[in-house]
Amino acid sequence: MNDVSRAHGAKDADAAEKQGIFARLVTFFQQVIAEFRKVQRPTRSELWSMFLTVIAFLLIVMAFVLVLDIAFSKSVFWIFG
C-alpha cells in the first residue's frame, strides 16, 4: 500500500469517526435500501423454471442416495450375515 492510499484511507477513517452513531446507522440503512433497489427479481416463468430444476435435481440426488443405501445395506448384511 503506498503513501497516497494510506493517507486517503486515514481521511476516510477520520470522517467515519467524526460521524455519530446515529448518522452512521442512517448511512448504513440508506446504502442497504440502495442495494435492494438494484436487485432484479425473476419473472414468474423464470421462477417456475428454477423451481422445476431444483425439484429435478433433488429427485436425482434422492435416487442416488437410495441406490447407495440399498447397496450398503445389502453388502453389510452379506458381510455380517
Side-chain angles (χ1 to χ4, degrees), residues 1 19 34 51 57 75 78-79:
M1 198 156 143
Q19 287 184 340
F51 172 75
F57 180 76
S75 63
W78 180 72
I79 292 171

Side-chain angles (χ1 to χ4, degrees), residues 18-60:
K18 289 180 185 177
Q19 287 184 340
I21 183 74
F22 293 110
R24 286 184 285 174
L25 281 174
V26 168
T27 303
F28 171 75
F29 284 113
Q30 286 174 342
Q31 290 174 350
V32 167
I33 291 169
E35 290 297 321
F36 271 131
R37 288 188 177 138
K38 294 178 187 177
V39 173
Q40 292 183 351
R41 290 160 186 85
T43 63
R44 183 177 289 266
S45 63
E46 290 173 339
L47 189 62
W48 184 247
S49 172
M50 287 186 275
F51 172 75
L52 291 178
T53 303
V54 168
I55 295 300
F57 180 76
L58 285 175
L59 290 173
I60 291 169

Side-chain angles (χ1 to χ4, degrees), residues 71-81:
F72 283 125
S73 64
K74 296 260 186 206
S75 63
V76 166
F77 184 71
W78 180 72
I79 292 171
F80 296 110

